[in-house]
Amino acid sequence: GAVVSQHPSRVICKSGTSVKIECRSLDFQATTMFWYRQFPKQSLMLMATSNEGSKATYEQGVEKDKFLINHASLTLSTLTVTSAHPEDSSFYICSASGTIWGTDTQYFGPGTRLTVL
Amino acid sequence: DAKTTQPNSMESNEEEPVHLPCNHSTISGTDYIHWYRQLPSQGPEYVIHGLTSNVNNRMASLAIAEDRKSSTLILHRATLRDAAVYYCIPHKRALDMRFGAGTRLTVKP
């Protein structure tokens, strides 16, 4: 299957700072990438859909000015958590979609654990 | 989006088969049935998908009911590395994919 990487895998920052997370599709070109957030013991929640060269589409309740998404190339999308606060501490996961046998399949990165002190 | 119902948790013994059920009675005719799993502290990984016919790959088998309102993921011989949360997600477009609570599988040695 396709490989998606994320960097960093873990980050600890102080409240009020901004953190950038990179998501790369290593062996295929991803027109669409997705960003998810997962709190402990919970399922993944879709935050936004990112299309190369255009503005991201955010899910209801996700602040677009707080979670800045840039998808400048077919292999790279970035999520910037601006002015992070402790409640933003979570596991952030990206994915890239590809089509297999007539349907879209998502390939996920390993995740980034963000801790805001 | 098709609503899914999966058991919250299941247990299996190592080396034994595991059948993970999923009900998706509101599935549309064009939705494929996808299964993903998430190992602890990792991103989800694709397991298998199908439309109407049963499917096999190196990881698992997928049995789809004739009316497509339910499906079963079959792990033929569970190993400790199969302990994960398994998600059944009917969809066609990636844009429509949403995660439910899934089934947490525990494998006992």
Side-chain angles (χ1 to χ4, degrees):
Chain A
V3 179
V4 175
S5 69
Q6 276 184 248
H7 178 80
S9 58
R10 184 180 297 267
V11 58
I12 301 172
C13 70
K14 293 182 179 179
S15 186
T17 61
S18 295
V19 174
K20 179 185 282 190
I21 302 170
E22 290 188 350
C23 177
R24 293 181 185 273
S25 59
L26 298 184
D27 51 3
F28 74 106
Q29 294 182 328
T31 306
T32 306
M33 299 176 96
F34 302 85
W35 287 94
Y36 294 83
R37 180 168 53 182
Q38 186 175 34
F39 293 108
K41 304 295 185 185
Q42 295 186 23
S43 188
L44 282 79
M45 287 178 13
L46 179 66
M47 299 175 66
T49 301
S50 164
N51 289 297
E52 185 263 338
S54 61
K55 291 184 178 180
T57 301
Y58 291 81
E59 294 295 294
Q60 193 171 9
V62 177
E63 300 175 59
K64 62 180 181 180
D65 294 330
K66 181 169 183 62
F67 299 99
L68 302 179
I69 292 172
N70 184 280
H71 192 163
S73 78
L74 289 173
T75 59
L76 174 64
S77 177
T78 61
L79 168 69
T80 301
V81 183
T82 62
S83 187
H85 291 286
E87 57 265 30
D88 299 322
S89 298
S90 188
F91 193 47
Y92 291 87
I93 306 168
C94 72
S95 73
S97 70
T99 301
I100 301 178
W101 302 325
T103 184
D104 291 346
T105 296
Q106 288 194 31
Y107 300 98
F108 290 85
T112 296
R113 189 163 302 282
L114 171 63
T115 302
V116 185
L117 303 177
Chain B
D1 299 343
K3 293 194 186 314
T4 60
T5 303
Q6 296 181 253
N8 289 332
S9 62
M10 291 184 66
E11 280 190 357
S12 169
N13 294 318
E14 199 175 10
E15 302 292 316
E16 290 186 357
V18 182
H19 291 231
L20 298 162
C22 180
N23 287 323
H24 31 76
S25 58
T26 60
I27 191 171
S28 77
T30 56
D31 285 345
Y32 285 71
I33 300 158
H34 288 73
W35 284 79
Y36 290 80
R37 72 179 185 181
Q38 186 178 22
L39 279 63
S41 299
Q42 295 186 30
E45 64 174 336
Y46 165 82
V47 177
I48 199 167
H49 78 274
L51 184 62
T52 56
S53 304
N54 295 344
V55 183
N56 300 299
N57 66 20
R58 63 176 179 82
M59 289 181 70
S61 295
L62 177 60
I64 301 172
E66 196 170 333
D67 63 5
R68 294 196 351 111
K69 294 184 177 182
S70 65
S71 62
T72 302
L73 180 72
I74 302 166
L75 306 179
H76 295 285
R77 291 179 64 191
T79 69
L80 297 178
R81 289 178 296 178
D82 291 321
V85 179
Y86 287 79
Y87 298 97
C88 158
I89 311 177
H91 72 276
K92 179 170 174 64
R93 303 181 309 163
L95 296 172
D96 300 323
M97 184 168 152
R98 296 293 184 275
F99 284 82
T103 296
R104 182 175 298 277
L105 175 66
T106 302
V107 181
K108 297 183 289 183

